[in-house]
Amino acid sequence: DTGVSQNPRHKITKRGQNVTFRCDPISEHNRLYWYRQTLGQGPEFLTYFQNEAQLEKSRLLSDRFSAERPKGSFSTLEIQRTEQGDSAMYLCASSYTMSTDTQYFGPGTRLTVL
Amino acid sequence: GIQVEQSPPDLILQEGANSTLRCNFSDSVNNLQWFHQNPWGQLINLFYIPSGTKQNGRLSATTVATERYSLLYISSSQTTDSGVYFCAVQGYSGGGADGLTFGKGTHLIIQP
């Protein structure tokens, strides 16, 4: 069990550019979550997948954000036309609903928009 | 949505001291987790504890679901315990599964 992994760990981009992050969950975990954390705050829920189906989206997830989980394995989070307000840590978590549904978090991708 | 309040917001202790962190939540929950966020931002699972009491080494946690609060106890603190401790809950939402709602955290500093 290698844990949840995220790539890249850091991303610096210019305002207006598109960025894509990847999350690889713990194998056999059927749920995958995305969160965003800004400085001094707790993480905030963005969206989650059960297998390949995206079942919930937070109001925080604007039209510029899109997430996919093809084949129910890894997931990608894309932000189009980035804004300075998108600068944050993007965290991914996974869980296994046939167990306690404990969410395990990856190390995060820190995005800086210049 | 469900509200989560953590106290105290900041705590400074000497090495070896004991501490109690509190988490109050506004509605019934089917998931409650305590995390320690290290200086690199990694959220480390401490406990999954929607009810009852658990212990793991110097750490223990108790959740009283009927009174909507949870406590995290740290005994014989070490400098490596420093960091931010988060309580996060997941409420019942009519069959759906929202994500975890986090409190603002308790920033713990253990001084040698």
Side-chain angles (χ1 to χ4, degrees):
Chain A
D1 186 348
T2 57
V4 179
S5 62
Q6 293 186 245
N7 287 287
R9 296 292 307 278
H10 303 273
K11 179 70 177 179
I12 300 174
T13 191
K14 293 182 179 178
R15 188 175 51 188
Q17 298 295 304
N18 299 344
V19 295
T20 300
F21 310 140
R22 177 178 170 126
C23 171
D24 287 87
I26 294 171
S27 60
E28 299 183 352
H29 277 197
N30 56 344
R31 281 196 179 152
L32 187 150
Y33 299 80
W34 285 99
Y35 294 82
R36 181 173 67 187
Q37 185 177 22
T38 53
L39 199 61
Q41 302 296 316
E44 296 172 293
F45 169 71
L46 293 178
T47 188
Y48 95 98
F49 294 82
Q50 177 141 330
N51 301 312
E52 65 275 10
Q54 187 173 15
L55 297 186
E56 182 96 19
K57 290 184 189 180
S58 160
R59 289 170 295 176
L60 294 175
L61 211 66
S62 77
D63 291 344
R64 297 183 296 105
F65 288 68
S66 62
E68 294 183 341
R69 193 185 183 195
K71 303 179 183 178
S73 56
F74 71 92
S75 176
T76 58
L77 178 68
E78 181 183 17
I79 308 175
Q80 295 183 326
R81 305 181 302 282
T82 52
E83 302 172 355
Q84 288 186 327
D86 297 331
S87 295
M89 176 79 91
Y90 290 83
L91 295 161
C92 175
S94 69
S95 69
Y96 182 52
T97 55
M98 300 307 290
S99 181
T100 61
D101 209 17
T102 303
Q103 293 187 30
Y104 295 89
F105 281 77
T109 295
R110 185 172 298 280
L111 173 67
T112 301
V113 181
L114 301 176
Chain B
I2 197 165
Q3 305 296 314
V4 181
E5 291 186 3
Q6 290 187 243
S7 60
D10 300 282
L11 188 58
I12 301 174
L13 298 171
Q14 294 294 314
E15 201 167 21
N18 301 330
S19 58
T20 301
L21 282 56
R22 187 176 179 103
C23 171
N24 292 334
F25 43 95
S26 61
D27 207 343
S28 300
V29 299
N30 61 5
N31 184 349
L32 188 148
Q33 293 183 236
W34 283 98
F35 296 92
H36 175 210
Q37 189 163 44
N38 66 22
W40 297 271
Q42 174 77 58
L43 281 165
I44 300 165
N45 283 59
L46 298 177
F47 294 103
Y48 169 86
I49 188 166
S51 63
T53 298
K54 290 186 178 179
Q55 180 158 6
N56 184 4
R58 296 182 297 104
L59 273 60
S60 63
T62 295
T63 297
V64 183
T66 53
E67 298 187 23
R68 298 180 185 168
Y69 73 89
S70 183
L71 302 173
L72 176 69
Y73 305 97
I74 305 173
S75 64
S76 304
S77 300
Q78 301 175 358
T79 55
T80 51
D81 294 331
S82 297
V84 183
Y85 289 80
F86 286 106
C87 169
V89 305
Q90 193 165 8
Y92 294 94
S93 56
D98 301 324
L100 291 169
T101 299
F102 283 74
K104 292 185 181 295
T106 292
H107 187 195
L108 176 64
I109 297 174
I110 304 297
Q111 296 178 333

